[in-house]
Amino acid sequence: MLQCVFLLSDSGEVMVEKQMTAHRVDRGICGWFWDYVLAHAAGDASKVLQVVVSPTHYLFQVYRNGVTFLACTQVEMPPLLAIEILDEMMDNGFPLTTEPNILKEMIAPPNIVSKMLNVVTGKSSNLGNKLPDAAASFVPWRTTVVKDASNEVYVNIVEELDACVNREGALVKCEAYGKIQVNSSLPGVPELTLSFSNPTIINDVRFHPCVRFRPWESNQILSFVPPDGQFELMSYRVKKLKTIPIYVKPQLTSDSGNCRVNVMVGIKNDPGKPIDSITVQFRLPPLIASADLTANYGTVDILADQTCLWTIGQIPKDKAPSLSGNLRLEEGLTHLHTFPTFEVKFKIMGVALSGLQIDKLEVKNTPNAPYKGFRAQTQAGRYEVRS
């Protein structure tokens, strides 16, 4: 049960207050919450807000074309529209209507035409006077009449790889967190069946409401009637992976007030596709007076928060990228006592490193055979190397 909703600006000011029940919650609680946000997000409030509002976050994105409404630095959605959406979503603190296509029919998303009509007519509400057809449908996530359907469906596997390598270079942890994203533009009420070649590797699955649970439970097959447009069909985790695509070998030695740094980067297990957008970053240890770091490939920048960012891009074939240099300790210190953790980022298009593969996608109840497209990509999540 949800008692109230406060929408805050990036400075902690209450922009929208919505009391859901008869029990009124005092606005003063926002001050305590904002102090907590600043204390746990190192000044970046959006990191905490994205976690707090993630269940309703997507619904607001529908009205802002992908912009993160509750966590952005400048709120562009009119407060009245936000209140109207919350009114339709909740009933006395309990979830009532959460399907985006129903909400879009009940409350028209703002556009230039509607804004001009509101000014001319004096109408300030976008609330429609007709109950959406999907509200009485057995598939409420899909509109009854799909307009301008191009008869095509695309399935994307998007994964984030979390890995931890200890000081000895041993792989301590390696997991993949993935999502199956679908972009459907099919006419009528299509029936889709999606199967994987190796579904046994999947753990901790979470499905969109359109997925029928029984076929998955018995045969690990996804059977569903898709919403129109883009949506997340399922999320999953693949545990205990044995290999990583990139190695990072840091060496730090300190004496006499200096710390010599040498970092090498290379491909450990070739995924068969180019590894792009490679970066390595680490926070300079405390009590560092100056840093002189250079790389034989890519660019090295020392950011304002004392983070060293090494941008590599793609690893060349003729040489292994390396970063080297010297850190000068503050006066009176001879050895470095705190060693940094190196964070690696990368992106690989065309492959899911977990090994998950789509075997077959069948589409029924469509007048013609649709076009089907498949794509996979992997990017680094929390990919850390200890030194």
Side-chain angles (χ1 to χ4, degrees):
M1 180 178 176
L2 187 63
Q3 292 185 347
C4 66
V5 173
F6 295 103
L7 305 187
L8 310 181
S9 68
D10 59 339
S11 61
E13 179 185 359
V14 178
M15 302 186 65
V16 175
E17 174 183 347
K18 179 62 179 175
Q19 301 289 339
M20 298 290 185
T21 64
H23 176 72
R24 187 175 184 84
V25 178
D26 188 82
R27 182 181 289 194
I29 196 173
C30 296
W32 171 87
F33 170 75
W34 194 250
D35 292 339
Y36 179 88
V37 167
L38 297 180
H40 288 76
D44 188 357
S46 65
K47 292 181 181 178
V48 173
L49 287 176
Q50 287 174 356
V51 175
V52 173
V53 305
S54 58
T56 57
H57 173 186
Y58 172 73
L59 294 172
F60 286 100
Q61 287 186 349
V62 172
Y63 289 82
R64 293 307 311 158
N65 297 323
V67 176
T68 305
F69 168 57
L70 296 182
C72 66
T73 56
Q74 183 177 0
V75 176
E76 299 179 5
M77 179 182 289
L80 179 60
L81 180 59
I83 293 175
E84 289 178 344
I85 296 173
L86 291 172
D87 275 336
E88 297 301 330
M89 286 177 56
M90 309 295 294
D91 182 18
N92 196 33
F94 292 95
L96 178 64
T97 303
T98 57
E99 293 298 335
N101 64 297
I102 295 180
L103 288 171
K104 283 195 295 183
E105 288 191 50
M106 298 175 71
I107 306 171
N111 53 45
I112 296 177
V113 176
S114 65
K115 291 179 180 178
M116 293 179 61
L117 289 175
N118 290 346
V119 173
V120 174
T121 62
K123 179 183 177 182
S124 59
S125 174
N126 293 326
L127 187 63
N129 54 9
K130 179 184 176 183
L131 183 67
D133 295 334
S137 172
F138 71 98
V139 283
W141 53 85
R142 184 177 180 84
T143 56
T144 54
V145 179
V146 178
K147 299 179 181 179
D148 303 323
S150 54
N151 199 28
E152 55 189 16
V153 57
Y154 298 91
V155 181
N156 298 332
I157 301 178
V158 181
E159 293 187 345
E160 284 194 355
L161 189 68
D162 288 3
C164 181
V165 180
N166 63 15
R167 294 181 178 180
E168 289 72 32
L171 185 62
V172 177
K173 170 190 172 184
C174 189
E175 298 180 340
Y177 294 86
K179 299 177 181 178
I180 307 297
Q181 298 177 342
V182 178
N183 189 355
S184 171
S185 181
L186 300 171
V189 184
E191 292 277 350
L192 274 66
T193 302
L194 178 66
S195 59
F196 303 100
S197 59
N198 49 352
T200 56
I201 66 174
I202 299 175
N203 300 279
D204 304 334
V205 293
R206 185 178 65 181
F207 300 115
H208 187 277
C210 70
V211 176
R212 301 180 179 97
F213 185 67
R214 186 166 296 176
W216 174 263
E217 188 179 36
S218 58
N219 300 309
Q220 281 71 56
I221 294 176
L222 295 175
S223 175
F224 59 98
V225 176
D228 184 51
Q230 298 182 9
F231 69 99
E232 182 181 307
L233 180 64
M234 68 173 288
S235 63
Y236 60 90
R237 179 170 64 142
V238 179
K239 300 184 291 185
K240 298 180 180 180
L241 297 177
K242 302 299 183 181
T243 60
I244 53 177
I246 294 177
Y247 71 81
V248 177
K249 295 181 179 180
Q251 292 182 343
L252 286 83
T253 57
S254 65
D255 56 47
S256 304
N258 286 308
C259 178
R260 289 174 293 277
V261 180
N262 184 44
V263 184
M264 294 188 64
V265 177
I267 297 177
K268 187 175 181 65
N269 292 281
D270 192 350
K273 299 289 184 179
I275 306 177
D276 299 315
S277 306
I278 301 174
T279 64
V280 178
Q281 68 178 30
F282 64 96
R283 183 71 63 89
L284 294 179
L287 306 178
I288 296 295
S290 62
D292 182 18
L293 300 171
T294 58
N296 67 345
Y297 188 83
T299 60
V300 179
D301 298 299
I302 306 297
L303 307 182
D305 62 350
Q306 296 301 300
T307 296
C308 176
L309 176 62
W310 180 18
T311 303
I312 300 173
Q314 283 193 7
I315 296 178
K317 296 181 179 180
D318 55 344
K319 60 181 176 181
S322 64
L323 178 146
S324 59
N326 185 67
L327 303 178
R328 182 66 183 174
L329 307 184
E330 290 186 355
E331 193 71 26
L333 296 177
T334 59
H335 292 80
L336 187 66
H337 299 287
T338 303
F339 292 89
T341 297
F342 292 79
E343 299 179 6
V344 186
K345 298 293 182 182
F346 59 84
K347 183 179 294 184
I348 308 174
M349 299 298 298
V351 63
L353 289 184
S354 69
L356 184 67
Q357 295 180 349
I358 295 175
D359 179 45
K360 184 169 33 176
L361 175 63
E362 295 182 349
V363 181
K364 300 179 181 179
N365 291 349
T366 54
N368 301 304
Y371 174 80
K372 295 178 284 187
F374 304 93
R375 188 174 64 178
Q377 77 171 60
T378 302
Q379 61 188 27
R382 191 169 182 176
Y383 196 104
E384 298 179 345
V385 178
R386 308 291 172 85
S387 63

